[in-house]
Amino acid sequence: MREVHVSKITEIIKKLCMDANYYLGDDIKNKFYEFKEKETSKLGKEILDILINNSEIAEKEQMPMCQDTGMAVVFMEIGQDVHIVGGNIEDAINEGVRQGYIEGYLRKSVVKDPLDRVNTKDNTPAIVHYNIVPGDKIKITVAPKGFGSENMSRLKMLKPADGVEGVKRFVLETVKEAGPNPCPPIVVGIGIGGTFEKAAFLAKKALLRSIDEENKNPYYAKLEKEILDEINKLGIGPQGFGGLTTCLGVNIEVYATHIAGLPVAVNINCHATRHKEAII
Amino acid sequence: MQKKITTPLTNECIENLKAGDSVLLTGYIYTARDAAHKRLVELIEKGEDLPFDVEGQIIYYVGPTPAKEGMPIGSAGPTTSYRMDPYTPALLDKGLKGMIGKGKRSLEVVESMKKNRAVYFAAIGGAAALTAKCVKESELVAYEDLGAEAIRRLYVEDLPLIVVIDAEGNNYYEIGQQEYKKSIE
């Protein structure tokens, strides 16, 4: 059985925390240029230029694109033929987050208790999702999530009779209600199906996929495009000052569900849509 | 055209600012977000002095990233303003004249801004590395225990802002979106 030492996990998570906060994804950068050509609002165009410029400064000076460097959401895809040695895996992950956020000059935005609200001062604990998969590799994805956009996310248990129109209506309502708050242009992750918590997980997972890459199922690929176009007809625009560019991409993930239900979760992300991955 | 403004804000300056104006702000401003606002309003309720005089001043809703050696501040973009809404009217009644953040405000805040003649500006959310370049000095004022949420006094030079809600209550999120929709009809 292949052995992986926990120190390797710590080292990789530390680097991914920093990289995710310093480097804007190429998929987002390309969309900025694409939308800049189409944007008819003068201020909207200027804002897109400012955000491009901001990403260049962040990259060059190794500083976070956004001051909200997020709560660290870590996805661990662990091959069933891997044996993790040298310590507790969750401690190793949190140690990586701690080192990444301290050494990378990232903001510590986590409070230990949701009501008592005392800052843990090292951005731990992370939110960790484990998945056991075939093989002998470990795939680690770090997706720091800012709360300006997280707070605008919604989940609703629709009726089966609501169908695809009900899904679209709920997504559009959520984006419209969010308005300028999540720093548009945004990226929208949608989870459809499963149970209450599975829908939320799917919506988060949808945000890990590049916005250049469509859903593998042609039906959902078409739905992603339709929802994107509908959102961009709302006129919210960059920062909410009016314009075409409200949303850069919509990703949908689906799962089987119960005969009585149609759970839908909408996870909103700002343009930064940070996620970086590595394979051990 | 961008208007140049300085702090403290005078009444004349405030009356000349209209929703949709682009401005460049120079001068001292104070940072405060959720936890600091809670403490400030608790002091007001107890009738005690605030750690700084808010009269004529601007509060920037920001929790910056730590500064690297030799830099005054780290990345420093705006946080979403609505979370400060429950605390804002009390500060406006104390003479606060401006707020910098992003996103919507409550009706109570807008009414209090009209009554107290104050302005709400937006900084560009997400452009935090760029915004940091405008901050020339940063000094701790209060609540060091709050870390990124501590109150700091910043000296900013030509900080680019947009007037979202003016002292008459005009709202550029509404106006801008309506204008855009009209333009594509």
Side-chain angles (χ1 to χ4, degrees):
Chain A
M1 205 173 204
R2 184 172 172 240
E3 287 194 346
V4 171
H5 198 274
V6 286
S7 60
K8 186 75 192 161
I9 294 172
T10 297
E11 182 194 320
I12 284 181
I13 295 216
K14 171 184 163 181
K15 184 170 188 307
L16 293 177
C17 287
M18 295 196 248
D19 287 355
N21 275 294
Y22 302 158
Y23 307 119
L24 185 64
D26 287 336
D27 56 337
I28 306 286
K29 275 189 210 165
N30 293 337
K31 285 285 171 199
F32 273 157
Y33 289 110
E34 201 181 307
F35 272 97
K36 226 183 85 179
E37 294 303 310
K38 295 189 277 186
E39 181 58 74
T40 56
S41 151
K42 189 170 158 279
L43 180 57
K45 259 188 209 285
E46 282 171 23
I47 290 167
L48 294 178
D49 271 330
I50 288 171
L51 295 176
I52 292 169
N53 191 2
N54 183 67
S55 72
E56 287 164 356
I57 290 176
E59 190 172 323
K60 192 171 126 237
E61 305 204 1
Q62 301 268 291
M63 65 192 286
M65 292 174 262
C66 178
Q67 78 291 337
D68 184 354
T69 52
M71 190 162 193
V73 183
V74 180
F75 291 80
M76 301 289 295
E77 272 186 32
I78 303 170
Q80 63 189 29
D81 299 325
V82 180
H83 182 205
I84 294 161
V85 297
N88 177 326
I89 184 171
E90 192 119 344
D91 290 346
I93 293 168
N94 282 322
E95 184 56 30
V97 170
R98 182 176 297 116
Q99 290 179 12
Y101 275 73
I102 291 173
E103 292 174 36
Y105 292 89
L106 306 179
R107 196 179 77 185
K108 288 69 177 177
S109 312
V110 175
V111 292
K112 189 165 188 285
D113 180 286
L115 295 178
D116 190 34
R117 306 201 74 83
V118 178
N119 198 301
T120 61
K121 300 216 156 71
D122 60 6
N123 220 55
T124 67
I127 305 288
V128 190
H129 299 292
Y130 298 98
N131 192 15
I132 308 292
V133 297
D136 65 355
K137 303 270 193 289
I138 301 176
K139 182 177 167 189
I140 303 176
T141 307
V142 175
K145 189 66 173 79
F147 262 54
S149 54
E150 194 73 352
N151 282 335
M152 296 298 114
S153 303
R154 298 280 182 272
L155 189 147
K156 194 170 181 183
M157 305 302 281
L158 299 183
K159 299 187 291 296
D162 293 326
V164 66
E165 289 308 315
V167 171
K168 281 189 190 172
R169 201 158 48 235
F170 177 58
V171 176
L172 288 169
E173 268 169 29
T174 303
V175 172
K176 203 174 168 182
E177 178 60 28
N181 291 5
C183 302
I186 55 174
V187 173
V188 177
I190 305 172
I192 311 175
T195 46
F196 185 80
E197 84 287 6
K198 181 74 174 181
F201 175 76
L202 290 171
K204 180 73 78 207
K205 206 176 147 211
L207 293 171
L208 302 183
R209 184 173 10 114
S210 159
I211 54 171
D212 291 335
E213 198 185 313
E214 53 187 24
N215 191 297
K216 286 194 177 68
N217 177 330
Y219 176 83
Y220 288 106
K222 187 165 162 273
L223 187 59
E224 285 174 345
K225 200 178 169 315
E226 279 172 19
I227 294 178
L228 175 64
D229 290 343
E230 290 288 320
I231 291 175
N232 285 332
K233 280 182 197 155
L234 292 173
I236 295 169
Q239 301 288 314
F241 297 128
L244 166 78
T245 319
T246 303
C247 181
L248 301 171
V250 171
N251 286 348
I252 299 176
E253 292 294 327
V254 299
Y255 196 77
T257 190
H258 188 277
I259 49 173
L262 175 51
V264 183
V266 182
N267 200 184
I268 297 184
N269 223 345
C270 61
H271 83 273
T273 302
R274 296 165 288 213
H275 53 90
K276 291 282 181 263
E277 57 184 56
I279 292 169
I280 303 178
Chain B
M1 206 198 70
Q2 284 175 312
K3 291 183 185 172
K4 292 212 171 207
I5 61 170
T6 53
T7 57
L9 292 177
T10 62
N11 288 335
E12 191 195 351
C13 170
I14 288 167
E15 298 306 323
N16 281 325
L17 292 173
K18 298 292 163 226
D21 286 351
S22 285
V23 303
L24 293 172
L25 173 72
T26 297
Y28 287 101
I29 59 176
Y30 293 85
T31 73
R33 41 173 295 153
D34 308 56
H37 270 77
K38 185 163 184 273
R39 292 190 187 178
L40 292 177
V41 171
E42 278 166 5
L43 290 176
I44 293 174
E45 282 166 0
K46 281 192 262 176
E48 290 176 22
D49 286 343
L50 298 179
F52 66 99
D53 185 3
V54 298
E55 179 76 43
Q57 299 302 332
I58 295 180
I59 289 180
Y60 182 17
Y61 304 145
V62 61
T65 59
K68 287 188 180 173
E69 287 75 18
M71 306 278 281
I73 204 163
S75 299
T79 194
T80 325
S81 308
Y82 75 92
R83 297 191 317 272
M84 271 50 79
D85 285 354
Y87 309 112
T88 299
L91 289 165
L92 292 170
D93 287 344
K94 279 272 169 194
L96 180 71
K97 287 293 176 190
M99 298 151 288
I100 304 169
K102 52 132 174 150
K104 297 182 254 192
R105 306 307 305 257
S106 69
L107 275 178
E108 290 77 11
V109 169
V110 177
E111 286 309 313
S112 176
M113 284 172 59
K114 282 156 73 177
K115 186 182 84 180
N116 291 296
R117 311 310 292 170
V119 181
Y120 170 50
F121 304 91
I124 304 300
L130 198 60
T131 305
K133 300 272 166 203
C134 301
V135 179
K136 305 299 173 189
E137 294 168 27
S138 168
E139 179 198 359
L140 181 78
V141 172
Y143 312 142
E144 192 174 11
D145 62 302
L146 293 179
E149 292 201 73
I151 295 181
R152 291 180 177 80
R153 189 166 80 135
L154 309 182
Y155 185 78
V156 296
E157 243 173 52
D158 290 337
L159 178 67
L161 304 171
I162 288 157
V163 177
V164 181
I165 304 174
D166 60 29
E168 296 297 320
N170 300 304
N171 182 330
Y172 192 64
Y173 288 131
E174 290 162 14
I175 299 167
Q177 291 184 26
Q178 279 160 9
E179 279 174 359
Y180 169 75
K181 282 180 191 160
K182 248 187 249 161
S183 77
I184 55 165
E185 265 169 17

